[in-house]
Structure formats: structure tokens, C-alpha cells
Amino acid sequence: MAAPKPRTTRSRSHRDVPDLEKMDGAYSWDALEWTKIEAVPRSVSRVNFDCLLQAEQVIAEGYGVVLVNTDEAGTLFVTNFRLLFLSEGTMDVIALGTIPLATIDKFNKIVVKTNSVSRQSEKSSSSRRLLQVIGKDMRIIVFGFRPRTKQRRKVYDALLKCMKPARIWDLYAFKSGPSKYSNTDPKVRLLNEYFRLLGKGSVRASMGMIEDGSFTLSNELWRITDINSSYTLCQTYPFALVVPKHISDAEILQASTFRARCRLPVVSWCNPGTGAVLARSSQPLVGLMMNMRSNTDEKLVAALCSYLVSVQGPSRRKLYIADARPRKNALANGAMGGGSESSSNYFQSEIVFFGIDNIHAMRESLTRLREYLDTHGEKSSDGMSSFLRHGGWTWGGGNLSSMSASVSTLGDSGWLIHVQSVLAGSAWIAARVALEKATVLVHCSDGWDRTTQLVSLASLLLDPYYRTIAGFQALVEKDWLAFGHPFSDRSGTPTISGSGNMPYELSRQSSTGSFSSSPMRQPSGSFTSPASSPPPSQTSNNCSPIFLQWVDCVSQLLRMYPFAFEFSSAFLVDLLDCMLSCRFGNFLCNCEKERQQCAVSEVCGCIWAYLADLRASEGISHVHYNLFYDATKHEGPLLPPAAALAPTLWPQFHLRWACPKESQAGELEVRCRKMAIKFSEMQKEKEIAERKTQEMTAAMESIKSELQNEKQLSISARNIAKSANKECEAIKRAIQSLGCKVQVSSNGYCTVDIEGDLMKSNQKIRPASRRASHRSLPSSEDNDLSLSITVTQDDVPNDSPSHVCEALCPLRTHDKACRWPDAGCAHLGSQFIGLKANFDAFDQLSIYDGYFKPE
């Protein structure tokens, strides 16, 4: 028996209820009368949908569930990869209600008690059983379940079981396997990027090169060292490092002890033309009194500043040490042995503090931004439009104070300010490297969060290669993955080292009256009950949207420089979604060493292969490509001025759930993309037409050549016919000179009659005709030319046929030799002398030209 359709019993839409009436509970969500409808259980094993991915299995399901945000009813499934919501009837996937388990930040049970009006107009107390899911991708969704069906309990328990696996091997990325999205080892791609930076781009790396250690190439200034090939120098650094050429491995090993977590200064990007360097490290261990020094560390940093050749002669390159932290935070780290460098210890150096907050401030800022969007968006998690909130039209009526308050709330989130800080710091670094040809050393505390943001964003501004799709992949794999940004800790997924296994915030809240979908709308300031979950300050939580914030900064640059990037905003959104979902293995674990221990590149799919497969389906017209990209417009570095670094909300990511219409690309971009698709189709048709034209041209040339040959043959045949005609006329005149009559019949036969006294009657000898070989008359091929000559002898002796030739044939020479020896004109022992000829005989004629008079 199919599950009942609750939407058909709804007397009026949930969104049609006035704000105050809904919030007071006078209108009951239980008008569906779910208390009288029992859900029919179904077997999970019988569920089979085309929408399921490879190795995706259904764990639990709930029927007749309502997505409160959009007031849609459907079926909710919990799989080993995601929370899947299918619409009722059509069973289409509802994107808003479908979220990967790894993308879920937290989820809560909510019970809201309301007063309902039954059909007998008697007030009764009922409750709404809700499940709130908060995602890391800026959405807050709420599902409503039927009471007394225990479906919410099943879904909740399934989420508890599947969302936080105990081992990394239980993640969906390991269950699904590499499938068709396998790729080369990331170590090979890292070496290829190193070779490019050293000017050795013609050399291609391979696994054999890594195994035998032959990848340690160098140029005049820098070299690749394998001192960390077994990760004994630094566990969170890659196996290969670019260091100054004249610094030995022993000095590198000694210098690493002066930096936090042994993350010593190494080259992240270098300009082969100017020698400018962008380096990274962690904070120095200067101690509480800020007086600890390391000679090898100072020597290593000094080696990063190669001599700058100018008109005035060689000079020492300027060194900037960019500390991403606020100055007070750097000083506070001194109590734990850390701190910052002293400019007096590093020759010709300058220390700059960028004042970027730590991971906890970023996490709280994103939480406030998510709540702001849920409150003031078109599709809120409580099903209420922002136009009806606060009892009036806050945007179009006259309640400007509410509008001002909402704008102030956006500013209070601090997200845009943090984005601007990262942008400004990266632009400052890029300007120092590009304009002053200086060396910039960037670090924060551990050198894997803010340092990675600044170094990678500055590299994106400096190097046009990183603004292509292939270069962007190389940049992410080098500065984020190889240099050990702790993705597992920041996303809250398990790792092989045991870090990042912080429990999710799970709670149950009971309330009377209305419910709030976000902490902002709850007076207490917390959505969960204090008794069930400790305050955030009391829990150790290392989750933070550091990578998300960096991609947001890239989108701001894409907005400022629309012609400079090969990829589009849609590419960045898909990259973020794949990273947050943990569907692929690229962003698992905390460092390269852990991913190698887990054999991630062998047993998990590759996100880059997946995105490349998406682009291959449509080619250059795919949404991942930027329509306005023009590599010739920005061949050098991008140096945005400070006035241009005013960030805005990223519509394609921040607004896609709360304001789906506004999150779409602008009308101009949509039209341009349609025009690009049409242009691509026309280009294909043009190529097909050109190929057909080439084929037709070749055919016409062939026909023309054949016609030329036929023309030559025709001219040759015409000349032969003219020559044969002249010979025939000459023979005819020769025969007529003998006193013979020549008659040519219509069928091509020629008869020659000779009258004489010895003839008693005219007789004709018609020998068998013989076809002409290569010479022919203008008549048809079926007609043969033959001559039949009858000679009547009167005064020629019977016993001497030669006298006949002498008397009748003027072709005899003076020495009585025959000029026509092959004609067979005389026959011994015959009463007649017959003369026959055909074209074969004519071909063999040898007649003096002087005999015949020219015509």
C-alpha cells in the first residue's frame, strides 16, 4: 500500500498563513491530521533508484516528510553518502533537501507544541516533530515528520551512525573506489609544477623518477631536495622541497628545529626572470622573552634573498616577513614558545602584521552569515518569507529600521571584513614581489591556515598560469594539499592519525509556541538547549571554513577581473561542493603523508578527473569555462588597488539556497553563454561544411583532370582521323588514276571496278573485313572499311601478273620494284588480280610524298 499524500488534505498552504497567526500557533501544522494516518512501512532493500551513486546504499527512510523551507512533501532517505529527499509522486531529487552527510555541520531534533483546531472546532494540543539540518554550504533545512510513526527517530539514528564514521575507511570515498575517476599520483603532479617553476618544464616527472630519487633538479638559484622523502624532517611538508641551491641538507635539517612543527622556510613560488621569491614557513620559536635565535635559520632566510642585478650593480634583495596574525596574537604566542622574528636578526628585513583572525573567528563569522541568510532569504528554514517577517514588508513598505538592522547584521557577521583582510594581504604581497622584486616570507602560527591562504592567493595574482584550470589545480595541490593544510581537522572528518575526531553537536530542544530555525531568532542566542550541549567556547572544535574563505576570495578576484580567469564561478562552486562532500579522496586526511598511508590516490576517486569529465561532455561551452576569458588581456600579474578590494556576497554560493533567483548568473552572462553555445554549434556546422566543400573540391578536381584527359584523347583521335582521311583520299586518287571507279557505300564498304576485254562479266570480290586497329574513320565502331577491287585484263599476258602491275600500277619504281609490297595486290595462278586493303595495310604504306599532289 502506498504512503498517503499529506499535501492533498491541506486546506491551505503553509505559506498562506499570516505571520502572527502562524507564530501564535493558532494555525496548526497538524491540519494534515497526521495523528490519524499511520505510515506504511516499506522495506529498505526494495528501494532502487537511478539517482543512487555507485556503492551508495539506503540505510533508513521516512515517507510523507515535508520540507518546511519550500512546503514540499516527499520521501527522505538516509544513505551511506547523503541525505536524499525525493519529491512526492514524481520522485525527483529536491536539491535543497539533498545534502551529503559530510557537508552537514550539525542536526537537531525539535518538538514544537501548538494549538490546533480540529474539524469539530475543538481546540486541542498537538506537537510538530521536526529535524533541523545545518550545512557547511550555507543552508539550514528543516524536515517535518508525522507524529507517532517513529520515522524521525529512524532518520535521526541513521544520521548518528553514518554521519560520523569511527574510521576513515568507512567514508564513502573508500567505499565507492576510484571508479572511472582515477588519476596519476599527486606526487608526480607536484614535481611537474616544481620543474615548471625552475624553468625545467620540458622534463616530465614519473613514478620511476620518484623511486630512484632522480627528481632533484636545480637551476642557478634553487634546487629540489629529497631530504623529506620519508617525512622525517617534517611530517606535514611534502616529500620534495625547493630550497636555495647553496644551502646543504644538513643546514636545512638544523634550521627546521627553530620553526614550529619543523615547518622551515621553503620556496613556494619564484620568478625565473627576476629571481623574486615567495616563501612560507611557520612561526619561529623565539621564546617568551623573544630573544632566541638560530644562525642556520637566519642563513636560510638570507639565502632566499638572492642578489638583485641592476644598473647600479648587484645589490641585496629586500626581505619582507609577512606575519598573518594580529600583533597581539603573535606576542601572546611567545608564552607558548612561539612568536615572531626580529628585524634586527635578519639583514635588510621588514616585519609586517596583517591582523587576520584565527580559525575560531572564521568559523563563528560564517555561522553568523549563514543565520543572516536564512533569516532574510527568500526560502527560510521556517517556511516564512523575509517579506512577512517582523509583521510587515521590511523591504518595500516603510519599515526601514528593519532593513537597516538586517544590513547591520550582515556587517556584524564579519565575513566580508575577513575576506577583505585576506585579499588586501595577498595584494600587498604580490605588489612587493612584482614591483620591488623582493623576497616575501609568509607565516602565521603553524603555517598551514592563514599562510596557505595568503601564499596561494598571492601566487594566483602573480602567475597567469594559475588562472587557468590546469594551473589552478596545480596551485591547490601544491599550496593546500602538499604543504599540509589539515582538511580533516577543518572539515571534521576522521583521519588516520586520530585528529579531527571531534563529536558533532547533537541536541534535542523542546519548546512551546513557535520555533526558530537559526540562533539569531531565538532570544537565548543558542538553538540547542544548554543542558544537552556545552557552549562552543567549552568544546574543542578545530573545524573552520579556511578553504571556503579562500575560494570566496578567488571569486572576488574573478568578479574584479572577468577576463583574467579561464574558469568560472560555477567551477569554484562545484569544487567546493566536492570538497565538502568528501566524495573523492583528494581532500581527505591532514597531510600528504597521511594520504599516502591510506593509499588515497589508489583506492579513492579523483576530484580533478571528475570535473574534467564534466567539462568533456560539453567542451568549451561548459559552465566551468569563463566566457570572457582572454589570456592576452592580463599576461602579467594582477595588482588590485586597495579601493577595488571591497568584497560582496558571492551570489552563486552564498545565496543559492536562501535566494535561488538572485543567485543565478546575470542576464547578460546567461545570454552570452547561450550565444556561445550557438556559436559553438555554428562552428561545428562550419567545420562540417568545410569538410564537405573540400571533398567536393577534390571530386571536381578529379573530374576536371579526367575531362582534360578525355579532351586530349579526343584531340588525338581527331588528328588521327584527319590523317586517315587524307590517306584515304590519296589512295582514292591513286586508284582512280588507274582508270578504276571507286564507290563508297553507306555502310562504309568501298568498291573499285576495272573494265577490260578479258572480262565477260563484272565480278566482285568482297574479302572479309578487318577492323582497324588504332586508326579509324569517323563512322561508328561497328563499321569496317575494306576495299574490293575487280580488275579485267585486256592486254596483259596471262602468264605474267607482273605485267599487270607494270601496266596498271603507277606505283612501280624506275627499277621496277613495287612501292606497295605488303598490299598483296598480285596473285599468281589467278585469272584476276585483286587488290584489297584495309587500315592495317594503310598504316604500313610507304609512298613517296612527291607522288601525291597537295590538296
Side-chain angles (χ1 to χ4, degrees), residues 410-425:
L410 174 61
D412 292 341
S413 68
W415 180 259
L416 297 181
I417 297 176
H418 296 316
V419 170
Q420 186 178 23
S421 299
V422 177
L423 283 171

Side-chain angles (χ1 to χ4, degrees), residues 369-679:
L369 176 62
R370 181 173 56 203
E371 295 163 357
Y372 164 81
L373 295 175
D374 182 65
T375 303
H376 300 283
E378 178 186 356
K379 295 183 177 181
S380 179
S381 60
D382 62 357
M384 186 186 305
S385 173
S386 61
F387 291 100
L388 301 178
R389 201 173 301 284
H390 304 296
W393 292 85
T394 59
W395 301 105
N399 198 346
L400 298 180
S401 60
S402 299
M403 179 178 179
S404 301
S406 63
V407 175
S408 176
T409 304
L410 174 61
D412 292 341
S413 68
W415 180 259
L416 297 181
I417 297 176
H418 296 316
V419 170
Q420 186 178 23
S421 299
V422 177
L423 283 171
S426 303
W428 186 91
I429 294 172
R432 302 287 78 75
V433 174
L435 300 180
E436 300 182 18
K437 301 178 178 59
T439 293
V440 180
L441 173 62
V442 185
H443 70 77
C444 52
S445 296
D446 295 319
W448 54 39
D449 289 314
R450 289 165 285 190
T451 300
T452 303
Q453 286 180 324
L454 293 171
V455 170
S456 57
L457 201 60
S459 301
L460 191 71
L461 291 171
L462 289 168
D463 198 336
Y465 172 69
Y466 292 141
R467 299 194 284 270
T468 65
I469 292 180
F472 190 79
Q473 172 186 342
L475 177 66
V476 172
E477 290 195 305
K478 173 175 66 73
D479 282 325
W480 287 89
L481 295 172
F483 276 95
H485 174 70
F487 279 99
S488 288
D489 288 351
R490 299 299 174 256
S491 61
T493 56
T495 182
I496 193 172
S497 62
S499 61
N501 292 330
M502 301 303 171
Y504 282 83
E505 297 179 42
L506 308 174
S507 62
R508 176 188 180 95
Q509 176 182 351
S510 299
S511 62
T512 58
S514 62
F515 75 97
S516 299
S517 61
S518 64
M520 176 184 298
R521 281 179 256 130
Q522 192 164 348
S524 61
S526 175
F527 189 70
T528 59
S529 59
S532 59
S533 176
S537 59
Q538 299 179 10
T539 60
S540 178
N541 189 355
N542 290 323
C543 296
S544 186
I546 300 300
F547 184 74
L548 188 155
Q549 187 181 58
W550 178 78
V551 177
D552 193 348
C553 294
V554 176
S555 73
Q556 304 294 334
L557 294 177
L558 180 59
R559 175 182 56 85
M560 287 186 280
Y561 300 98
F563 301 99
F565 295 86
E566 183 186 17
F567 49 85
S568 66
S569 182
F571 170 78
L572 299 177
V573 172
D574 287 347
L575 176 63
L576 272 180
D577 286 343
C578 292
M579 186 276 294
L580 293 174
S581 68
C582 293
R583 179 181 175 183
F584 305 99
N586 302 75
F587 295 95
L588 297 180
C589 303
N590 285 328
C591 58
E592 181 182 275
K593 176 185 177 182
E594 292 183 2
R595 282 185 288 272
Q596 178 174 318
Q597 292 174 340
C598 296
V600 167
S601 61
E602 300 175 6
V603 301
C604 298
C606 178
I607 184 175
W608 310 114
Y610 169 73
L611 296 177
D613 184 71
L614 292 180
R615 293 191 299 273
S617 61
E618 300 181 18
I620 195 65
S621 60
H622 194 269
V623 294
H624 285 181
Y625 290 100
N626 181 15
L627 293 175
F628 309 107
Y629 175 62
D630 187 357
T632 60
K633 282 186 175 293
H634 301 283
E635 296 179 348
L638 300 178
L639 302 176
L645 299 177
T648 62
L649 287 179
W650 181 13
Q652 287 81 1
F653 184 79
H654 292 146
L655 302 180
R656 60 173 171 167
W657 306 118
C659 306
K661 294 180 181 178
E662 289 72 17
S663 67
Q664 301 300 323
E667 186 67 21
L668 178 62
E669 183 178 351
V670 173
R671 293 187 178 183
C672 288
R673 190 166 296 280
K674 291 181 180 179
M675 292 176 61
I677 295 175
K678 290 183 179 179
F679 177 77

